[in-house]
Amino acid sequence: MKILTLCGAGIGTSGILKVNAERVLQRLGITATVVAIDASMLESELEDAQVVLTGPEFVERIGRTFADVIVVENYFDTAELQRKLEDALG
Amino acid sequence: MENTALPPLPDEAVLLSEDARDWREAVAAAGRALTASGATDAGYAVDMVRMIEEHGPYVVIAPGLALAHARPGPAVHRDGIAIVSLRDPVDFGHPYNDPVRVVLALAGGSSARHLQLVAEIANIFNDSDAVERLAAATSADEVRGILGASA
């Protein structure tokens, strides 16, 4: 399974989502590859992704997709992340 | 260990109870602190503001905290962080996490390094009250203690 974390530069907030998603996935016993990207990489990365984690500003940019788009409010709240990932993957 | 820890946070990189009328001034202050610490050119502050203009207030990643940064480039001399706490909180236009009381500015010498630094920041802030403690901090030493950073 592939999970994208998306932000403006692909190296900042998406990096925080990546490490926290990996932490939560391990907790849940789910194996996945988590890739931090910026919006310019969406087209090439989105096709085979199951989940996109991002902030509210980027939802429109993602457009139509088969992936579950998860909007994260507090990037440091791993309980929020776990709940939303469980909902999407469960 | 050297590679995963935060870069030093000298006194010049900490501005407490800073006056800012809006988010641009808050980010500019964080840019000044990065430059004063020797981590970046003054132009990096402009780049940080431009990131938010281009992509929106997504940098407000937790209640009260903005993670300001731009891409690695010639304006970055070395890895650096800066902390600015605001006397009066300012809105960035974020739907959930406004108003911002603390700006954490980050400069990474490379994209890989930048990602390592944000991972380290996640370790510090995850499921903690670090933002509240930074907002209330009254000395650079106290800020360093919260972040586990050296001077």
Side-chain angles (χ1 to χ4, degrees), chain A residues 6-90:
Chain A
L6 168 68
C7 76
I11 55 169
T13 62
S14 62
I16 289 176
L17 280 181
K18 174 177 154 71
V19 292
N20 283 347
E22 285 169 344
R23 190 164 295 167
V24 166
L25 289 165
Q26 190 177 25
R27 215 183 278 163
L28 296 173
I30 295 169
T31 309
T33 306
V34 185
V35 186
I37 64 165
D38 66 25
S40 73
M41 296 158 76
L42 259 179
E43 202 175 336
S44 57
E45 295 284 350
L46 191 55
E47 198 173 348
D48 59 344
Q50 275 75 50
V51 175
V52 184
L53 295 166
T54 192
E57 295 85 346
F58 292 101
V59 173
E60 207 170 310
R61 191 94 56 89
I62 296 168
R64 287 167 60 90
T65 173
F66 291 111
D68 279 306
V69 177
I70 300 178
V71 174
V72 180
E73 298 183 20
N74 181 344
Y75 283 37
F76 295 129
D77 182 354
T78 60
E80 176 195 339
L81 196 55
Q82 178 163 342
R83 191 175 65 247
K84 289 179 173 176
L85 274 171
E86 277 181 312
D87 284 350
L89 301 174

Side-chain angles (χ1 to χ4, degrees), chain B:
Chain B
M1 194 66 205
E2 176 88 8
N3 265 338
T4 55
L6 287 180
L9 187 71
D11 287 355
E12 299 78 34
V14 180
L15 298 174
L16 299 177
S17 233
E18 185 76 4
D19 284 311
R21 278 171 302 181
D22 55 29
W23 70 263
R24 285 167 202 279
E25 288 193 3
V27 173
R32 276 201 310 279
L34 275 178
T35 302
S37 75
T40 68
D41 280 349
Y44 192 75
V46 179
D47 294 341
M48 290 197 295
V49 168
R50 193 174 299 137
M51 286 289 295
I52 299 171
E53 286 171 345
E54 274 177 26
H55 300 291
Y58 71 100
V59 297
V60 189
I61 55 177
L65 179 76
L67 175 66
H69 72 90
R71 290 188 174 84
V76 180
H77 303 160
R78 55 175 169 75
D79 299 338
I81 53 170
I83 292 284
V84 175
S85 70
L86 301 172
R87 185 186 307 276
D88 298 310
V90 299
D91 283 344
F92 276 58
H94 193 279
Y96 311 116
N97 296 329
D98 272 341
V100 168
R101 291 177 296 159
V102 177
V103 179
L104 194 170
L106 182 63
S110 68
S111 291
R113 190 68 188 115
H114 203 286
L115 278 167
Q116 284 176 346
L117 293 175
V118 295
E120 187 58 32
I121 288 167
N123 285 333
I124 294 164
F125 284 88
N126 276 353
D127 308 312
S128 80
D129 60 356
V131 177
E132 287 76 13
R133 285 156 62 211
L134 287 172
T138 55
S139 71
D141 273 335
E142 198 178 337
V143 169
R144 283 189 284 269
I146 295 162
L147 298 178
S150 60

